Short mmCIF file of all heavy atoms in Angstrom, two decimals:
data_model
loop_
_atom_site.label_atom_id
_atom_site.label_comp_id
_atom_site.label_asym_id
_atom_site.label_seq_id
_atom_site.Cartn_x
_atom_site.Cartn_y
_atom_site.Cartn_z
N GLY A 1 -15.44 -26.69 67.84
CA GLY A 1 -14.61 -26.73 66.64
C GLY A 1 -14.11 -28.12 66.31
O GLY A 1 -14.19 -28.57 65.17
N ALA A 2 -13.61 -28.84 67.31
CA ALA A 2 -13.12 -30.20 67.09
C ALA A 2 -14.26 -31.12 66.67
O ALA A 2 -14.10 -31.95 65.78
CB ALA A 2 -12.46 -30.73 68.36
N ALA A 3 -15.41 -30.96 67.28
CA ALA A 3 -16.56 -31.79 66.93
C ALA A 3 -17.03 -31.51 65.50
O ALA A 3 -17.35 -32.43 64.75
CB ALA A 3 -17.70 -31.56 67.92
N VAL A 4 -17.07 -30.24 65.11
CA VAL A 4 -17.48 -29.89 63.75
C VAL A 4 -16.50 -30.48 62.74
O VAL A 4 -16.91 -31.04 61.72
CB VAL A 4 -17.59 -28.35 63.58
CG1 VAL A 4 -17.67 -27.95 62.12
CG2 VAL A 4 -18.79 -27.81 64.35
N ARG A 5 -15.22 -30.35 63.01
CA ARG A 5 -14.21 -30.84 62.07
C ARG A 5 -14.23 -32.36 61.91
O ARG A 5 -13.87 -32.89 60.87
CB ARG A 5 -12.82 -30.40 62.52
CG ARG A 5 -12.60 -28.92 62.34
CD ARG A 5 -11.20 -28.48 62.79
NE ARG A 5 -11.16 -27.04 62.95
CZ ARG A 5 -11.24 -26.41 64.11
NH1 ARG A 5 -11.33 -27.09 65.24
NH2 ARG A 5 -11.22 -25.10 64.17
N SER A 6 -14.67 -33.07 62.95
CA SER A 6 -14.65 -34.54 62.90
C SER A 6 -16.01 -35.16 62.64
O SER A 6 -16.12 -36.38 62.61
CB SER A 6 -14.08 -35.10 64.21
OG SER A 6 -14.98 -34.83 65.27
N CYS A 7 -17.03 -34.35 62.46
CA CYS A 7 -18.39 -34.88 62.30
C CYS A 7 -18.57 -35.62 60.99
O CYS A 7 -18.19 -35.15 59.94
CB CYS A 7 -19.42 -33.75 62.39
SG CYS A 7 -20.39 -33.86 63.87
N GLY A 8 -19.17 -36.76 61.09
CA GLY A 8 -19.55 -37.57 59.94
C GLY A 8 -20.77 -38.37 60.31
O GLY A 8 -21.29 -38.25 61.42
N PHE A 9 -21.26 -39.17 59.40
CA PHE A 9 -22.43 -39.99 59.70
C PHE A 9 -22.13 -40.90 60.89
O PHE A 9 -21.09 -41.52 60.95
CB PHE A 9 -22.84 -40.83 58.49
CG PHE A 9 -23.53 -40.05 57.44
CD1 PHE A 9 -22.97 -39.90 56.19
CD2 PHE A 9 -24.75 -39.43 57.70
CE1 PHE A 9 -23.61 -39.18 55.21
CE2 PHE A 9 -25.38 -38.70 56.73
CZ PHE A 9 -24.82 -38.57 55.48
N GLY A 10 -23.03 -40.94 61.83
CA GLY A 10 -22.88 -41.81 62.99
C GLY A 10 -22.02 -41.24 64.11
O GLY A 10 -21.87 -41.85 65.15
N ASN A 11 -21.44 -40.07 63.91
CA ASN A 11 -20.61 -39.47 64.94
C ASN A 11 -21.51 -39.00 66.08
O ASN A 11 -22.47 -38.27 65.84
CB ASN A 11 -19.82 -38.29 64.36
CG ASN A 11 -18.81 -37.73 65.33
OD1 ASN A 11 -19.09 -37.54 66.51
ND2 ASN A 11 -17.63 -37.46 64.83
N PRO A 12 -21.25 -39.42 67.33
CA PRO A 12 -22.12 -39.03 68.45
C PRO A 12 -22.16 -37.52 68.68
O PRO A 12 -23.13 -37.00 69.22
CB PRO A 12 -21.52 -39.75 69.65
CG PRO A 12 -20.18 -40.22 69.23
CD PRO A 12 -20.16 -40.28 67.75
N ALA A 13 -21.15 -36.81 68.25
CA ALA A 13 -21.14 -35.36 68.44
C ALA A 13 -22.18 -34.68 67.57
O ALA A 13 -22.65 -33.59 67.89
CB ALA A 13 -19.76 -34.80 68.13
N GLN A 14 -22.56 -35.30 66.47
CA GLN A 14 -23.51 -34.69 65.54
C GLN A 14 -24.84 -34.38 66.24
O GLN A 14 -25.39 -33.29 66.09
CB GLN A 14 -23.72 -35.60 64.34
CG GLN A 14 -24.29 -34.89 63.14
CD GLN A 14 -24.19 -35.73 61.89
OE1 GLN A 14 -24.25 -36.94 61.94
NE2 GLN A 14 -24.03 -35.07 60.77
N ARG A 15 -25.36 -35.31 67.02
CA ARG A 15 -26.63 -35.09 67.72
C ARG A 15 -26.48 -34.03 68.81
O ARG A 15 -27.33 -33.17 68.98
CB ARG A 15 -27.12 -36.39 68.34
CG ARG A 15 -28.42 -36.19 69.13
CD ARG A 15 -28.97 -37.46 69.63
NE ARG A 15 -29.63 -38.11 68.51
CZ ARG A 15 -30.16 -39.30 68.55
NH1 ARG A 15 -30.11 -40.00 69.65
NH2 ARG A 15 -30.75 -39.81 67.51
N ALA A 16 -25.36 -34.06 69.54
CA ALA A 16 -25.13 -33.07 70.59
C ALA A 16 -24.99 -31.66 70.00
O ALA A 16 -25.52 -30.70 70.55
CB ALA A 16 -23.88 -33.43 71.40
N LEU A 17 -24.30 -31.54 68.87
CA LEU A 17 -24.17 -30.24 68.22
C LEU A 17 -25.52 -29.71 67.78
O LEU A 17 -25.85 -28.54 67.99
CB LEU A 17 -23.22 -30.33 67.02
CG LEU A 17 -21.73 -30.43 67.32
CD1 LEU A 17 -20.95 -30.75 66.05
CD2 LEU A 17 -21.22 -29.13 67.95
N ARG A 18 -26.33 -30.57 67.17
CA ARG A 18 -27.67 -30.15 66.71
C ARG A 18 -28.50 -29.67 67.89
O ARG A 18 -29.19 -28.66 67.80
CB ARG A 18 -28.37 -31.29 65.98
CG ARG A 18 -29.76 -30.91 65.47
CD ARG A 18 -30.44 -32.05 64.73
NE ARG A 18 -29.89 -32.31 63.43
CZ ARG A 18 -30.33 -31.75 62.31
NH1 ARG A 18 -31.32 -30.89 62.36
NH2 ARG A 18 -29.80 -32.04 61.15
N ALA A 19 -28.43 -30.38 69.00
CA ALA A 19 -29.22 -30.01 70.18
C ALA A 19 -28.77 -28.68 70.77
O ALA A 19 -29.53 -28.03 71.48
CB ALA A 19 -29.12 -31.11 71.24
N MET A 20 -27.53 -28.25 70.47
CA MET A 20 -27.08 -26.96 70.99
C MET A 20 -27.12 -25.86 69.93
O MET A 20 -26.71 -24.74 70.18
CB MET A 20 -25.71 -27.06 71.64
CG MET A 20 -24.56 -27.36 70.75
SD MET A 20 -22.97 -27.44 71.64
CE MET A 20 -22.67 -25.75 72.05
N GLY A 21 -27.65 -26.18 68.72
CA GLY A 21 -27.86 -25.15 67.72
C GLY A 21 -26.88 -25.11 66.58
O GLY A 21 -26.79 -24.11 65.86
N VAL A 22 -26.14 -26.21 66.36
CA VAL A 22 -25.17 -26.27 65.28
C VAL A 22 -25.43 -27.55 64.47
O VAL A 22 -25.42 -28.63 65.03
CB VAL A 22 -23.72 -26.28 65.82
CG1 VAL A 22 -22.71 -26.38 64.68
CG2 VAL A 22 -23.45 -25.06 66.68
N VAL A 23 -25.66 -27.40 63.17
CA VAL A 23 -25.91 -28.57 62.31
C VAL A 23 -24.76 -28.72 61.35
O VAL A 23 -24.41 -27.79 60.62
CB VAL A 23 -27.24 -28.45 61.55
CG1 VAL A 23 -27.39 -29.55 60.52
CG2 VAL A 23 -28.42 -28.47 62.51
N VAL A 24 -24.19 -29.92 61.36
CA VAL A 24 -23.08 -30.25 60.47
C VAL A 24 -23.52 -31.41 59.59
O VAL A 24 -23.90 -32.46 60.09
CB VAL A 24 -21.83 -30.68 61.27
CG1 VAL A 24 -20.68 -30.99 60.33
CG2 VAL A 24 -21.46 -29.63 62.29
N ARG A 25 -23.49 -31.17 58.30
CA ARG A 25 -23.74 -32.25 57.36
C ARG A 25 -22.39 -32.69 56.84
O ARG A 25 -21.53 -31.85 56.56
CB ARG A 25 -24.65 -31.77 56.24
CG ARG A 25 -26.04 -31.47 56.77
CD ARG A 25 -27.05 -31.45 55.66
NE ARG A 25 -28.38 -31.30 56.23
CZ ARG A 25 -28.98 -30.14 56.42
NH1 ARG A 25 -28.38 -29.02 56.10
NH2 ARG A 25 -30.20 -30.10 56.93
N PRO A 26 -22.19 -34.00 56.70
CA PRO A 26 -20.87 -34.48 56.28
C PRO A 26 -20.42 -33.87 54.95
O PRO A 26 -21.20 -33.75 54.02
CB PRO A 26 -21.06 -35.99 56.15
CG PRO A 26 -22.25 -36.29 57.00
CD PRO A 26 -23.13 -35.08 56.94
N ALA A 27 -19.15 -33.48 54.90
CA ALA A 27 -18.57 -32.98 53.65
C ALA A 27 -18.43 -34.18 52.72
O ALA A 27 -18.26 -35.30 53.19
CB ALA A 27 -17.22 -32.35 53.93
N PRO A 28 -18.52 -34.06 51.45
CA PRO A 28 -18.67 -32.82 50.69
C PRO A 28 -20.11 -32.45 50.40
O PRO A 28 -20.36 -31.56 49.59
CB PRO A 28 -17.93 -33.15 49.38
CG PRO A 28 -18.21 -34.61 49.19
CD PRO A 28 -18.26 -35.21 50.58
N SER A 29 -21.07 -33.09 51.05
CA SER A 29 -22.47 -32.80 50.74
C SER A 29 -22.87 -31.38 51.10
O SER A 29 -23.83 -30.85 50.57
CB SER A 29 -23.40 -33.79 51.45
OG SER A 29 -23.30 -33.64 52.85
N SER A 30 -22.15 -30.73 51.99
CA SER A 30 -22.47 -29.36 52.34
C SER A 30 -21.20 -28.55 52.52
O SER A 30 -20.27 -28.99 53.21
CB SER A 30 -23.29 -29.30 53.63
OG SER A 30 -23.54 -27.97 53.98
N ALA A 31 -21.18 -27.38 51.92
CA ALA A 31 -20.03 -26.49 52.06
C ALA A 31 -20.20 -25.57 53.26
O ALA A 31 -19.36 -24.72 53.51
CB ALA A 31 -19.87 -25.65 50.79
N PHE A 32 -21.31 -25.73 54.00
CA PHE A 32 -21.63 -24.84 55.11
C PHE A 32 -21.94 -25.61 56.38
O PHE A 32 -22.35 -26.75 56.35
CB PHE A 32 -22.86 -23.98 54.77
CG PHE A 32 -22.64 -23.07 53.61
CD1 PHE A 32 -23.00 -23.44 52.34
CD2 PHE A 32 -22.07 -21.82 53.81
CE1 PHE A 32 -22.79 -22.60 51.27
CE2 PHE A 32 -21.85 -20.97 52.74
CZ PHE A 32 -22.21 -21.36 51.46
N VAL A 33 -21.76 -24.93 57.50
CA VAL A 33 -22.23 -25.39 58.80
C VAL A 33 -23.35 -24.42 59.19
O VAL A 33 -23.18 -23.20 59.07
CB VAL A 33 -21.10 -25.35 59.85
CG1 VAL A 33 -21.63 -25.65 61.24
CG2 VAL A 33 -20.00 -26.34 59.47
N ALA A 34 -24.49 -24.95 59.61
CA ALA A 34 -25.63 -24.12 59.98
C ALA A 34 -25.60 -23.84 61.48
O ALA A 34 -25.45 -24.76 62.28
CB ALA A 34 -26.94 -24.81 59.60
N ILE A 35 -25.74 -22.57 61.84
CA ILE A 35 -25.77 -22.15 63.24
C ILE A 35 -27.09 -21.45 63.46
O ILE A 35 -27.48 -20.56 62.68
CB ILE A 35 -24.59 -21.22 63.56
CG1 ILE A 35 -23.27 -21.97 63.30
CG2 ILE A 35 -24.65 -20.73 65.01
CD1 ILE A 35 -22.03 -21.11 63.35
N ALA A 36 -27.81 -21.83 64.51
CA ALA A 36 -29.12 -21.25 64.78
C ALA A 36 -29.01 -19.77 65.11
O ALA A 36 -28.13 -19.35 65.87
CB ALA A 36 -29.79 -21.98 65.95
N ALA A 37 -29.91 -18.99 64.53
CA ALA A 37 -29.95 -17.55 64.81
C ALA A 37 -30.53 -17.30 66.20
O ALA A 37 -30.23 -16.27 66.82
CB ALA A 37 -30.77 -16.83 63.75
N ALA A 38 -31.34 -18.22 66.68
CA ALA A 38 -31.92 -18.12 68.03
C ALA A 38 -32.02 -19.53 68.60
O ALA A 38 -32.62 -20.41 67.97
CB ALA A 38 -33.29 -17.47 67.97
N HIS A 39 -31.41 -19.75 69.73
CA HIS A 39 -31.43 -21.09 70.35
C HIS A 39 -31.06 -20.94 71.83
O HIS A 39 -30.09 -20.25 72.15
CB HIS A 39 -30.43 -22.00 69.65
CG HIS A 39 -30.62 -23.43 69.94
ND1 HIS A 39 -30.26 -24.01 71.14
CD2 HIS A 39 -31.16 -24.44 69.20
CE1 HIS A 39 -30.56 -25.29 71.12
NE2 HIS A 39 -31.10 -25.57 69.95
N PRO A 40 -31.82 -21.59 72.72
CA PRO A 40 -31.53 -21.44 74.16
C PRO A 40 -30.14 -21.91 74.58
O PRO A 40 -29.51 -21.30 75.44
CB PRO A 40 -32.63 -22.24 74.86
CG PRO A 40 -33.29 -23.06 73.81
CD PRO A 40 -33.00 -22.42 72.49
N GLU A 41 -29.63 -22.98 73.98
CA GLU A 41 -28.29 -23.46 74.35
C GLU A 41 -27.21 -22.48 73.88
O GLU A 41 -26.25 -22.22 74.60
CB GLU A 41 -28.01 -24.85 73.78
CG GLU A 41 -28.78 -25.95 74.46
CD GLU A 41 -28.43 -26.11 75.94
OE1 GLU A 41 -27.28 -25.83 76.35
OE2 GLU A 41 -29.32 -26.53 76.70
N LEU A 42 -27.36 -21.92 72.69
CA LEU A 42 -26.40 -20.93 72.22
C LEU A 42 -26.50 -19.66 73.06
O LEU A 42 -25.49 -19.03 73.35
CB LEU A 42 -26.61 -20.62 70.74
CG LEU A 42 -26.17 -21.72 69.77
CD1 LEU A 42 -26.51 -21.33 68.33
CD2 LEU A 42 -24.70 -22.03 69.91
N ALA A 43 -27.71 -19.30 73.46
CA ALA A 43 -27.89 -18.12 74.32
C ALA A 43 -27.15 -18.32 75.64
O ALA A 43 -26.48 -17.40 76.13
CB ALA A 43 -29.37 -17.85 74.56
N ARG A 44 -27.21 -19.52 76.22
CA ARG A 44 -26.48 -19.81 77.46
C ARG A 44 -24.97 -19.77 77.21
O ARG A 44 -24.21 -19.25 78.03
CB ARG A 44 -26.88 -21.18 78.01
CG ARG A 44 -28.15 -21.15 78.83
CD ARG A 44 -28.36 -22.45 79.58
NE ARG A 44 -29.00 -23.48 78.79
CZ ARG A 44 -30.30 -23.53 78.52
NH1 ARG A 44 -31.11 -22.61 78.98
NH2 ARG A 44 -30.80 -24.50 77.79
N LEU A 45 -24.55 -20.32 76.09
CA LEU A 45 -23.13 -20.36 75.77
C LEU A 45 -22.56 -18.95 75.60
O LEU A 45 -21.50 -18.63 76.10
CB LEU A 45 -22.92 -21.18 74.48
CG LEU A 45 -21.49 -21.41 74.09
CD1 LEU A 45 -21.31 -22.87 73.71
CD2 LEU A 45 -21.11 -20.54 72.92
N PHE A 46 -23.30 -18.08 74.89
CA PHE A 46 -22.83 -16.72 74.63
C PHE A 46 -23.13 -15.75 75.78
O PHE A 46 -22.64 -14.63 75.76
CB PHE A 46 -23.45 -16.18 73.34
CG PHE A 46 -22.80 -16.70 72.08
CD1 PHE A 46 -23.48 -17.58 71.25
CD2 PHE A 46 -21.52 -16.31 71.73
CE1 PHE A 46 -22.89 -18.06 70.09
CE2 PHE A 46 -20.92 -16.78 70.57
CZ PHE A 46 -21.61 -17.67 69.74
N ALA A 47 -23.89 -16.17 76.80
CA ALA A 47 -24.29 -15.28 77.89
C ALA A 47 -23.13 -14.55 78.57
O ALA A 47 -23.23 -13.35 78.83
CB ALA A 47 -25.13 -16.03 78.93
N PRO A 48 -22.01 -15.21 78.86
CA PRO A 48 -20.91 -14.48 79.53
C PRO A 48 -20.00 -13.72 78.56
O PRO A 48 -18.98 -13.18 78.97
CB PRO A 48 -20.13 -15.60 80.22
CG PRO A 48 -20.34 -16.79 79.36
CD PRO A 48 -21.75 -16.65 78.81
#
């Protein structure tokens, strides 16, 4: 949540979020955050 809220161009969290299945495009260019419907990192995160 903190990473999504602070993501902008050049933010190091942006690459880490994408690698775990969350894509954030800097506002106002996108009104949405994309979350992968299937992704191994999200599967591990939601496993417990």
Side-chain angles (χ1 to χ4, degrees):
V4 166
R5 289 180 196 100
S6 67
C7 249
F9 284 116
N11 187 315
Q14 199 167 32
R15 178 175 282 175
L17 285 170
R18 181 180 286 269
M20 67 179 288
V22 179
V23 172
V24 181
R25 292 199 174 92
S29 64
S30 178
F32 297 94
V33 172
I35 300 170
H39 195 285
E41 288 297 330
L42 287 177
R44 277 191 276 282
L45 185 134
F46 282 110

